[in-house]
Structure formats: C-alpha cells, structure tokens
Amino acid sequence: MVTMSTAPKIWTRETGLVEKRDLWTAMKRGFRGRCPRCGEGKLFRAFLKTADDCAKCGLDFTPHRADDLPAYLVIVIVGHIVVPTILWIETNYTTPVWLSFAAYLPFTFVASLALLQPVKGAVVGLQWALRMHGFDENPPDGIPPV
C-alpha cells in the first residue's frame, strides 16, 4: 500500500525564484554553436557531437534529446528553398539535364550540411529554454535518469 504525503508545500521567495530563460536568445546562441545559457562556451565538440558541459558556466549538455528533429527541419528548410528555385528555373529556362543535376544536387548537399549543426544547436537551445529533457533543476519524481 502506497501512502501519500499530505504535507502542504510552502511557497517561499526562494522556491519562486527560477532562472529566467529567454527562448529566442537561447535558440540564437545555440544556432551560433554557443552555450544557450551564457553564450560563451562551445556547444559542440565535433560536427554534431555536443560537448558534455559548457567550459564557461558548467551547464550540462548531456540531457538534450535532439534526435532526428534537426535533420527533419533541415529537410524542410532546404526543400522550401530548392524546390521553388528548381521549378522557377525549369519553367523559365531550358537547361540540359546534366547541367541541372550538376547544379541542384551539390547545392542541396552543401546547404543541408551547412544548416545541420546550426539547426541542432537551436534545437538544444530550445530544449534548454523550455526546461525539457532534464534541463530542469527539479525533475519530476519517479523518472529515472537517462
């Protein structure tokens, strides 16, 4: 039999004080590859590998769960740039197939690689600002650490 604690939680000024986290600032810092909290430390130790923690403020980056969201967002962003451009060029100009492939494929590849790390950084900044996936100081009880 499980007994529940009926002791009321008492609100004090200290319990109400939490670190303010601005969403857009955190995402901009993450987009630049910087720590979402201080904006000074490096977020990545390799191309897509996040550092374990910030060298400046000590923020732990290990709880982030970006998973596949950055790749999906990059596909959407690059697709919204490439597809209308291809449609406009192909309807207004006559280009050989080899020239089309020689231009569109490398541009799509380079644009995708160029956006992948900044978008992942923005997603990590979003998770930190919204206190998602362990970035909260007081995680709920009963959830084991990842």
Side-chain angles (χ1 to χ4, degrees):
M1 178 174 195
V2 177
T3 60
M4 295 182 59
S5 173
T6 58
K9 292 186 179 182
I10 299 173
W11 186 86
T12 62
R13 183 177 298 237
E14 288 76 29
T15 59
L17 293 177
V18 293
E19 177 184 19
K20 296 228 183 250
R21 298 180 180 182
D22 183 48
L23 177 68
W24 297 111
T25 303
M27 288 181 68
K28 283 189 284 188
R29 289 174 176 169
F31 190 84
R32 291 191 329 248
R34 298 290 172 199
C35 171
R37 180 194 286 163
C38 67
E40 296 178 14
K42 287 186 163 194
L43 181 61
F44 296 100
R45 62 181 160 90
F47 180 63
L48 289 177
K49 297 278 187 190
T50 57
D52 292 332
D53 55 2
C54 176
K56 299 290 181 183
C57 68
L59 176 66
D60 184 21
F61 298 134
T62 55
H64 90 85
R65 296 289 173 255
D67 297 332
D68 292 336
L69 180 61
Y72 292 132
L73 293 176
V74 167
I75 289 169
V76 168
I77 293 167
V78 172
H80 277 82
I81 294 169
V82 170
V83 171
T85 304
I86 290 173
L87 289 173
W88 179 75
I89 291 173
E90 293 299 323
T91 56
N92 293 325
Y93 303 103
T94 305
T95 57
V97 175
W98 69 269
L99 182 61
S100 297
F101 280 123
Y104 304 145
L105 292 178
F107 175 77
T108 303
F109 179 72
V110 170
S112 298
L113 282 180
L115 280 176
L116 199 53
Q117 186 182 38
V119 169
K120 182 172 182 175
V123 168
V124 172
L126 171 89
Q127 291 177 353
W128 175 80
L130 296 179
R131 293 177 163 81
M132 298 170 65
H133 304 296
F135 281 121
D136 189 8
E137 294 85 16
N138 302 317
D141 294 333
I143 298 177
V146 179

